[in-house]
Amino acid sequence: MLATVPSAVLHGVEGRPVRVEVHVSNGLPGFTIVGLPDAACRESRDRVRAALLSSSLPWPLRKVTVNLAPSGVRKQGPGLDLAIAMGLLAANGDVPADAVEGCAFVGELGLDGAVRPVTGTLPLVDAIDAPTVVVAAASAGEAGLAGRHRVRAVGSLLDVVTAITGEAPWPDPPALPPELPPPPGPDLADVRGQRVARLALEVAAAGGHHLLLVGPPGAGKTMLAARLPGLLPDLDDAAALEVTRVHSAAGLPLSVGGLVRRPPYRAPHHGVSAVALVGGGSSVLRPGQISLAHHGVLFLDELGEFPPSVLDGLRQPLEEGAVRVSRALGSATFPTRFLLVAATNPCPCGRGGPPGACRCSDDARARYARRLTGPLVDRFDLRVDVAKPDPGELLGGQPGESTAEVAARVRGARDRAATRGVRCNAELPANLLDDLAPVSPGALRMLDLALRAGSLSGRGLHRVRRVARTLADLAGRDGPVGEEDVGLALQLRAEPDVLGVAA
Amino acid sequence: MSERSELPAEAWLAALASLPGMGPARLAELLAGLSPQEAWSAVRAGRPLEGVPEATIERWRSRVAVTDVERLWSAHEGAGVRVLVPGAPGWPAPLLDDPEPPAVLFARGDPAVLDRPRVAVIGTRRCSYAGREVARQLGRELAEAGVCVVSGLALGIDGAAHAGALAGGAAPVGVVATGLDVVYPRRHADLWRAVGDRGCVLTEYPLGVWPERWRFPARNRIIAGLADVVVVVESHARGGSMHTVESALDRGRTVMAVPGSVRSPASAGTNALLAAGSPPARDATDVLVALGLDGGVWQRAAPAGPEGDAGRVLDAVGWEASTLEQVADRLGAPLGPVAVHLVDLERDGWVHQRAGWYERRR
């Protein structure tokens, strides 16, 4: 007696289809799962048995063999419980075999027979070909995002059995509470003063330019960074689906409708390990913080405190927008297209900033700066000094523009960038800059002088031109980039000696 | 081990100075009434010295036993290092009656450049760009007037003063706190060589001595002893420059200070000196007058600033380090046009920008 039920397991952020084959035969009673199950998978046996008995369903006192095909791929997690249980019932003849035809199952079983949601429901369902997918009620919204299946949401094993044998209709999909607008993030209007830093945030959001904030403790670097995601436009459908898949696979709580519409914001502490940041793991390949920040903002506070080896791991993902993590057990690719924002003190004592103000020794300053030089700092397009705000501004100053006002300008600038065939200006290829972002003669003269004076590097030139293009887009100016935009872009640029230590 | 008696006294002195734990005071005591060669023999014999622990005497004795004085001397000759003995030709005259004179000096270059009026131009390593410019200008103008500029070859003000003096013509003197074969700070290797070639680099430490914290205040007393006038360009409230000032005041030297912004931490020490009564050094003329020289060479004429908006932006930068945001706030202007003017002002040499901070240059 054999039954085959489709399901899927998670691999990285992708689902892989798995066929659960259950064979029931005469012999000594026993229950074996083969096909490279991991511990959680092997424990299915006990959960399935308890769930069947709790649901007053028969447990066959015969020899049961469960094969998870393809058997060469490791299976992890408890998501196959429901499929094993249904396969067993079908193979034992308790459920007609043709009833489970074309029906896939994704869910974990409780000992009481309840069907529970599993992490990564979206990529799992997406990997399944069967026309109907049965999932836990709580995962119904998420499973529906894949869009190709008839989704059946169930609360317990008994629900499935009665529905599939036609004794009762399928339970109604759970009534979703009305989708509330996401709680508003921190508002830019809370930031007093800081005109240049606000401008830099706006430019970073509009152009996708990586941003480095330099300033003493208490100047508001973290506060500024936390307001950046609010400036980014909602994710479009394709991006939202990508982000939701990653978040689903990582087991992050999703919104009611399931889809992640707002750009994520991740701010890992500097004690983060390279694996936690980039992704990986020995038995289960999990997405790292940089993938959870996909299409959103990754904020690294106290950049100088991150171990250099951890930061080095960011270079390739920044460059390619994806990271391939390889382990002995297999490899997985995670998407990593994020906006990098980092903050650092100007020097170990934190008092640096104005020349001559810092009390650190030259050696200490040079050591501190060395951590921040090199290839990673080379990725920042914008660098801005955040000074401690004036007490007068804090107490009596006018509130600045709100997030909504700035976000509207950012949307406009992104729309302009889209006409050039890129999502944002940071992606403008260098060889097309002359066509896509020409500069006026006066602005060209400024760039020429900066290059001649040695204050601008060749790589820096491209960055300044992209940033200047974003500034012009934000101001709604078409045509060649003018002097004001280039002048401001020159002020906001990040050259490798970001702390100004090399005298 | 050959010990030929025809080795000059300087050779024995250099060997004595190279002993571990040998400072100027011990060396002077050791040499009281003895020639350097006799002192060497006395150390070899383990003669006790008042105030020197037994263990040190023993360490000296074992070191002397393995030291080849002739090789040591040829190393000095090979490195172009002169050994100066108190009272002998080449010994700087101002150190003859110094309260804490060095017992020996090692020189690269010609110590005779010290025969002219000497001005020490000193200051902090953590200086502002403006301070560096002032030091460079002072060094150059003083050198043009024929003054020997003395400083410590350190980063910041010291190095700028030396660089200015080299540009001005008259040979400068650098007093360092390491052996002459140990260049510290390394970033100043070129400057160090230029000062040695054109002027003179002095130290009381033998070849191979590495920088140590305590040697710098000791070095500072030599700078104070050599100078007729000590000019402090920028100094924090505490620091090496203040040690030099104390040593200079002990020796009755004139100490002048360059006035700075009351809000600049790098000028806290110099402004305190001014408050305590030091004469201000606004430019080389002030210093030359203090030296008793004719100071009428340089006119204090403020250069005419740029016209129009650029001039207003320059005024808003002012004489303290400012950021773009501060400048724009002072003007109440949008950031873009101010940024354009700042780029122009930087190109025309009115302001200097580093890591986002603008400082006015002239």
Side-chain angles (χ1 to χ4, degrees):
Chain A
M1 302 276 272
L2 177 73
T4 302
V5 175
S7 186
V9 291
L10 200 59
H11 185 85
V13 294
E14 303 291 324
R16 290 207 177 156
V18 169
R19 278 184 305 123
V20 178
E21 299 167 346
V22 185
H23 185 253
V24 179
S25 63
N26 293 326
L28 282 178
F31 191 104
T32 324
I33 299 182
V34 298
L36 293 184
D38 77 346
C41 228
R42 211 172 304 122
E43 289 161 358
S44 273
R45 179 182 57 179
D46 300 315
R47 282 193 300 273
V48 168
R49 179 167 185 270
L52 287 173
L53 295 177
S54 304
S55 310
S56 311
L57 291 164
W59 174 259
L61 286 174
R62 302 170 73 186
K63 175 147 185 64
V64 178
T65 307
V66 177
N67 180 38
L68 309 176
S71 28
V73 179
R74 290 193 76 86
K75 323 291 182 309
Q76 53 95 8
L80 298 174
D81 286 1
L82 184 57
I84 292 173
M86 291 312 294
L88 180 59
L89 289 171
N92 201 32
D94 299 318
V95 165
D98 52 349
V100 294
E101 190 72 36
C103 209
F105 299 89
V106 173
E108 176 184 339
L109 286 178
L111 299 188
D112 57 353
V115 178
R116 294 177 179 159
V118 294
T119 60
T121 298
L122 170 57
L124 290 177
V125 169
D126 204 23
I128 291 174
D129 282 334
T132 304
V133 178
V134 179
V135 297
S139 313
E142 198 184 330
L145 295 176
R148 293 184 282 114
H149 312 87
R150 197 162 55 228
V151 175
R152 302 295 192 193
V154 296
S156 69
L157 185 57
L158 211 52
D159 286 349
V160 187
V161 174
T162 54
I164 221 159
T165 53
E167 291 170 28
W170 285 99
D172 289 331
L176 295 180
E179 182 146 18
L180 301 168
D187 198 282
L188 203 56
D190 307 338
V191 179
R192 301 290 161 93
Q194 309 280 25
R195 286 163 76 190
V196 174
R198 295 172 68 105
L199 176 68
L201 281 187
E202 189 176 333
V203 172
H209 306 289
H210 301 308
L211 168 65
L212 178 63
L213 300 163
V214 181
K221 304 185 290 285
T222 312
M223 180 185 184
L224 284 161
R227 278 151 182 79
L228 183 51
L231 301 181
L232 294 170
D234 278 343
L235 301 174
D236 60 30
D237 289 346
L241 210 53
E242 281 176 42
V243 173
T244 308
R245 293 169 73 96
V246 178
H247 286 210
S248 168
L252 294 190
L254 298 174
S255 71
V256 177
L259 207 55
V260 179
R261 274 288 174 195
R262 289 300 302 157
Y265 175 73
R266 308 298 300 184
H269 181 255
H270 55 71
V272 67
S273 72
V275 168
L277 191 65
V278 172
S282 48
S283 60
V284 181
L285 291 175
R286 286 183 188 288
Q289 293 290 324
I290 60 173
S291 296
L292 297 180
H294 183 53
H295 285 305
V297 176
L298 179 72
F299 176 50
L300 302 181
D301 204 355
E302 305 294 354
L303 185 64
E305 303 295 330
F306 282 83
S309 57
V310 171
L311 292 182
D312 277 348
L314 288 179
R315 283 156 50 186
Q316 185 243 349
L318 269 172
E319 198 75 356
E320 300 184 3
V323 62
R324 184 162 187 80
V325 175
S326 294
R327 296 290 184 271
L329 294 175
S331 63
T333 304
F334 300 119
T336 60
R337 207 169 285 287
F338 56 90
L339 178 55
L340 177 60
V341 181
T344 179
N345 286 341
C347 61
C349 79
R351 261 185 287 183
C358 148
R359 297 291 299 170
C360 307
S361 73
D362 293 312
D363 268 0
R365 276 176 71 95
R367 251 197 320 275
Y368 197 74
R370 254 201 308 278
R371 294 174 147 201
L372 297 186
T373 48
L376 180 65
V377 163
D378 222 28
R379 303 276 184 267
F380 289 104
D381 303 322
L382 302 166
R383 166 206 190 281
V384 68
D385 273 278
V386 186
K388 270 201 183 145
D390 186 57
E393 293 239 27
L394 279 182
L395 292 173
Q398 292 297 311
E401 279 181 300
S402 70
T403 291
E405 289 169 78
V406 180
R409 276 203 302 277
V410 168
R411 265 197 307 280
R414 288 226 169 200
D415 289 345
R416 278 165 193 271
T419 63
R420 298 180 198 109
V422 289
R423 279 190 313 119
C424 55
N425 287 334
E427 294 175 1
L428 287 173
N431 56 346
L432 296 182
L433 276 177
D434 283 335
D435 296 336
L436 298 175
V439 285
S440 73
L444 200 60
R445 182 187 53 91
M446 291 172 77
L447 289 173
D448 183 56
L449 286 165
L451 280 171
R452 278 174 207 281
S455 63
L456 186 63
S457 62
R459 192 199 279 258
L461 172 68
H462 297 314
R463 298 235 181 91
V464 165
R465 291 187 61 176
R466 291 189 188 105
V467 171
R469 183 66 257 173
T470 303
L471 281 160
D473 288 348
L474 281 169
R477 281 190 282 269
D478 288 314
V481 178
E483 291 184 31
E484 277 189 23
D485 301 320
V486 169
L488 267 180
L490 283 170
Q491 303 289 333
L492 293 173
R493 76 185 183 275
E495 287 286 298
D497 178 24
V498 282
L499 299 184
V501 165
Chain B
M1 191 167 62
S2 69
E3 279 183 20
R4 295 171 309 168
S5 54
E6 60 264 32
L7 280 174
E10 285 85 351
W12 303 104
L13 202 51
L16 282 170
S18 306
L19 292 176
M22 180 66 79
R26 285 175 177 176
L27 191 52
E29 199 177 336
L30 200 58
L31 288 169
L34 294 178
S35 78
Q37 190 175 0
E38 288 162 353
W40 184 258
S41 306
V43 171
R44 178 165 27 205
R47 198 188 78 173
L49 199 60
E50 200 177 328
V52 177
E54 196 64 32
T56 309
I57 301 273
E58 194 48 41
R59 262 167 72 208
W60 287 354
R61 214 163 67 83
S62 53
R63 177 63 76 89
V64 162
V66 298
T67 302
D68 184 341
V69 180
E70 197 178 339
R71 259 202 21 224
L72 194 73
W73 180 239
S74 55
H76 281 80
E77 284 182 320
V81 170
R82 280 183 66 184
V83 180
L84 306 180
V85 184
W91 186 257
L95 293 182
L96 279 174
D97 55 353
D98 197 88
E100 306 165 87
V104 57
L105 279 175
F106 299 86
R108 212 171 82 73
D110 183 7
V113 297
L114 283 162
D115 291 344
R116 285 171 289 121
R118 297 161 305 275
V119 172
V121 179
I122 59 164
T124 177
R125 286 168 295 160
R126 298 183 301 272
C127 61
S128 69
Y129 187 82
R132 202 188 302 259
E133 296 257 295
V134 168
R136 194 191 315 273
Q137 187 177 351
L138 265 180
R140 193 186 73 237
E141 292 180 354
L142 288 171
E144 281 171 3
V147 169
C148 171
V149 173
V150 182
S151 196
L153 276 170
L155 295 176
I157 300 291
D158 283 19
H162 277 305
L166 287 168
V173 168
V175 186
V176 298
T178 62
L180 289 176
D181 54 345
V182 181
V183 176
Y184 178 88
R186 292 246 192 87
R187 252 190 268 168
H188 276 177
D190 288 342
L191 186 65
W192 177 297
R193 199 174 314 112
V195 171
D197 289 346
R198 308 244 316 262
C200 183
V201 181
L202 287 175
T203 180
E204 61 177 324
Y205 302 111
L207 292 182
V209 169
W210 280 78
E212 285 173 82
R213 224 163 233 283
W214 62 271
R215 297 190 197 274
F216 289 89
R219 175 277 305 268
N220 289 347
R221 86 182 194 287
I222 302 181
I223 295 182
L226 286 173
D228 296 315
V229 170
V230 174
V231 180
V232 189
V233 178
E234 271 189 341
S235 171
H236 293 260
R238 283 172 302 153
S241 302
M242 289 319 207
H243 287 134
T244 315
V245 166
E246 274 170 36
S247 301
L249 292 173
D250 289 346
R251 288 163 174 76
R253 306 289 195 256
T254 305
V255 174
M256 306 179 79
V258 174
S261 163
V262 292
R263 285 164 60 168
S264 163
S267 287
T270 42
N271 286 338
L273 285 175
L274 292 171
S278 287
R282 292 166 297 176
D283 56 15
T285 306
D286 283 343
V287 181
L288 292 173
V289 168
L291 275 173
L293 298 175
D294 177 14
V297 191
W298 290 278
Q299 299 302 318
R300 281 192 202 105
E307 305 270 308
D309 285 347
R312 273 194 289 284
V313 173
L314 184 60
D315 286 344
V317 173
W319 293 97
E320 284 169 22
S322 309
T323 60
L324 165 67
E325 182 164 351
Q326 289 170 335
V327 175
D329 283 351
R330 285 170 200 156
L331 290 165
L335 296 169
V338 176
V340 175
H341 281 302
L342 283 173
V343 171
D344 288 345
L345 287 170
E346 186 182 359
R347 174 199 65 205
D348 295 338
W350 288 103
V351 296
H352 170 264
Q353 188 264 135
R354 200 171 96 193
W357 291 87
Y358 284 89
E359 291 184 77
R360 188 165 173 178
R361 299 178 65 175
R362 56 190 166 111

